[in-house]
Amino acid sequence: MASYEPDRLSPAQVAAMRRSLRNGRAAMTRRSLLRASTGGALALGGLGALSACGIPAAGKTEGGTAADDHSAEEKTVSFSNWTEYMDVDDSGKHHPTLDAFTERTGIKVKYTEDINDNNEFFGKIKPQLAAGQDTGRDIVVLTDWLAARLIRLGWVQKLDPSNLPHAYANLSGQFRSPDWDPGRAYSYPWQGISTVIAYNKKALDGIEVKSVSDLLDNPKLKGRVGFLTEMRDSMGMTLLDMGKDPAKFTDDDYDAAIARLQKGVDSGQIRRFTGNDYTSDITSGDFAACIAWAGDVVQLKADSPDVDFVIPDSGYLTSSDNMLIPNKARHKTNAERLMDYYYEPEPAAELAAYINYVCPVDGVKDALAKIDEDAANNPLIIPDKAMQAKSHSFRSLSSKEETAYEAKFAKLTGA
């Protein structure tokens, strides 16, 4: 097992956390900008798909620490998630998909929106996990890098594939085998998060933007370009533009990408680094183009005819928020049943239609067309195979790398 992470965050990591809390993805309410729509039925992908594109064997065999599983006698499951990351009914008080799960299984879901930031939540559960105690949670939803950390620390339980037939069969290919959890032995995606280029057609006034190079090198865009305060998003997109794979880059590659962005800062080409507040900049035209999160762009396009997006030929970055079962969770089987439920057609469709992030469940498009044709045809929600092929992930970082990289990025952004 890899070495444990340090107990204390470096100053650069603290700065990154503060950026995230202030205006990064942590500051986003995942439904605040997105429009709700109704759910519907999908066609279930067959289990036979496993023979054609089965998930590779996990590279890690040791699991976390299990507790006695009380699922049979305690018909409950505790689910911790981010805010505004679940479908709600018209009253805003009930979650239709969770209600349907309870009605079918008799398992009551204690659903809590108590995750506002990855680092903050890690600090909340770390003392219990480090002490080998139950956190009181059966499922937690964490972004890639923190999911990777908990797996490295041995603080989450290995999943039982026999309780996850739909997840095993229907997980989209682009999410099947991240380097931090080969074969998805410990996690399954809740939703995917894509990073793309957004632009304002009116502000561009005929200027063509197809790549990060266009953002950084076209003098006509000077002072009207935005990048994100989230290191992995801005650096990942820049590395791709430079012909480097974010899943395999070296220290020298990272430094070259920093230098490329530093030139854009020094010349005034980059107006500023932002969190979710870029939405007002791109809508108003203060930004002619910027690095953006696809979940926002879906709604911005619907509300503003001037806003659109482009996927660079070099590719785009995709991360995911992931469901995991902490050590000592009392209801592991119930948790796995709930995880698997969201890889069934109907609940997956209802969730995707409501949230508008990247659905990690294969075979959704035809059914979504019956619910919302625009959503079904939107590659930011249901990527087609060509778009999936352009998807890249930012590789896992060691503690030493994360400290060094965040420090360099913080200096670049002035954080």
Side-chain angles (χ1 to χ4, degrees):
M1 183 178 295
S3 60
Y4 276 31
E5 303 291 339
D7 288 340
R8 296 182 182 275
L9 297 174
S10 71
Q13 289 169 310
V14 171
M17 180 179 72
R18 288 174 177 164
R19 288 198 307 272
S20 185
L21 283 168
R22 182 172 64 247
N23 60 5
R25 273 213 313 120
M28 298 162 58
T29 55
R30 284 165 161 71
R31 256 326 264 180
S32 60
L33 296 176
L34 305 178
R35 181 171 17 188
S37 61
T38 58
L42 296 178
L44 176 63
L47 290 173
L50 292 175
S51 61
C53 53
I55 299 175
K60 185 179 175 79
T61 57
E62 67 271 24
T65 305
D68 292 336
D69 192 349
H70 298 273
S71 293
E73 66 270 21
E74 296 178 5
K75 294 292 187 179
T76 185
V77 61
S78 179
F79 186 179
S80 282
N81 205 348
W82 297 72
T83 57
E84 305 293 339
Y85 217 13
M86 179 68 75
D87 58 305
V88 298
D89 64 9
D90 291 339
S91 72
K93 296 181 180 179
H94 297 280
H95 304 293
T97 56
L98 290 177
D99 293 344
F101 175 79
T102 298
E103 183 176 355
R104 181 206 295 182
T105 64
I107 299 170
K108 295 182 179 180
V109 182
K110 180 185 177 184
Y111 184 72
T112 309
E113 295 181 340
D114 61 344
I115 304 178
N116 297 301
D117 173 78
N118 284 289
N119 275 312
E120 177 187 58
F121 188 72
F122 179 65
K124 185 185 298 184
I125 63 175
K126 179 181 176 181
Q128 294 161 301
L129 290 172
Q133 299 172 351
D134 179 15
T135 66
R137 300 166 176 87
D138 299 306
I139 299 176
V140 296
V141 177
L142 303 174
T143 306
D144 290 345
W145 63 268
L146 184 53
R149 178 184 294 177
L150 263 65
I151 291 171
R152 287 197 302 269
L153 290 170
W155 287 355
V156 294
Q157 298 187 50
K158 192 170 186 179
L159 301 174
D160 182 350
S162 68
N163 292 328
L164 294 154
H166 300 96
Y168 196 83
N170 298 335
L171 177 60
S172 175
Q174 73 182 102
F175 297 108
R176 279 185 174 258
S177 196
D179 67 348
W180 48 270
D181 186 15
R184 290 289 182 181
Y186 296 86
S187 68
Y188 271 94
W190 177 248
Q191 297 290 294
I193 305 156
S194 295
T195 306
V196 299
I197 296 176
Y199 60 87
N200 184 304
K201 287 179 277 190
K202 186 175 180 180
L204 285 179
D205 192 24
I207 300 172
E208 188 173 66
V209 170
K210 290 187 175 180
S211 67
V212 171
S213 289
D214 291 334
L215 301 185
L216 293 173
D217 298 338
N218 191 329
K220 294 181 180 179
L221 297 180
K222 184 175 180 178
R224 299 192 293 146
V225 167
F227 278 74
L228 291 167
T229 54
E230 297 290 339
M231 180 269 287
R232 288 166 175 80
D233 294 298
S234 286
M235 293 301 294
M237 292 292 282
T238 303
L239 285 163
L240 281 170
D241 188 71
M242 297 171 67
K244 304 298 181 180
D245 185 349
K248 300 177 181 177
F249 68 90
T250 65
D251 287 349
D252 288 343
D253 295 334
Y254 188 89
D255 288 344
I258 284 283
R260 182 150 169 70
L261 288 178
Q262 187 67 58
K263 181 180 178 182
V265 171
D266 295 342
S267 68
Q269 184 78 7
I270 298 174
R271 183 184 183 97
R272 66 189 184 104
F273 290 82
T274 73
N276 188 237
D277 48 328
Y278 70 80
T279 55
S280 59
D281 290 301
I282 197 69
T283 302
S284 68
D286 288 343
F287 282 167
C290 64
I291 305 299
W293 290 302
D296 292 337
V297 178
V298 171
Q299 185 56 41
L300 293 176
K301 275 175 58 66
D303 292 341
S304 173
D306 292 327
V307 175
D308 211 333
F309 75 97
V310 64
I311 303 295
D313 288 340
S314 59
Y316 67 102
L317 209 66
T318 300
S319 58
S320 57
D321 288 329
N322 308 276
M323 297 179 283
L324 305 102
I325 300 176
N327 282 358
K328 297 291 186 176
R330 286 178 61 88
H331 311 107
K332 182 174 184 284
T333 298
N334 290 346
E336 289 168 338
R337 290 182 68 183
L338 182 58
M339 292 168 67
D340 191 62
Y341 168 75
Y342 279 103
Y343 278 81
E344 292 183 25
E346 291 186 11
E350 291 181 42
L351 196 63
Y354 188 85
I355 294 177
N356 290 171
Y357 278 76
V358 180
C359 179
V361 182
D362 264 346
V364 173
K365 184 173 182 178
D366 290 345
L368 275 185
K370 300 174 184 177
I371 306 167
D372 183 337
E373 190 170 352
D374 289 340
N377 292 320
N378 191 329
L380 299 183
I381 300 173
I382 309 295
D384 57 23
K385 289 184 178 180
M387 186 166 174
Q388 287 187 30
K390 291 186 176 183
S391 172
H392 296 266
S393 298
F394 199 95
R395 70 172 173 82
S396 299
L397 301 179
S398 68
S399 176
K400 181 179 179 181
E401 286 176 326
E402 185 167 1
T403 299
Y405 292 171
E406 285 286 9
K408 292 175 181 179
F409 190 72
K411 182 179 180 181
L412 168 73
T413 62

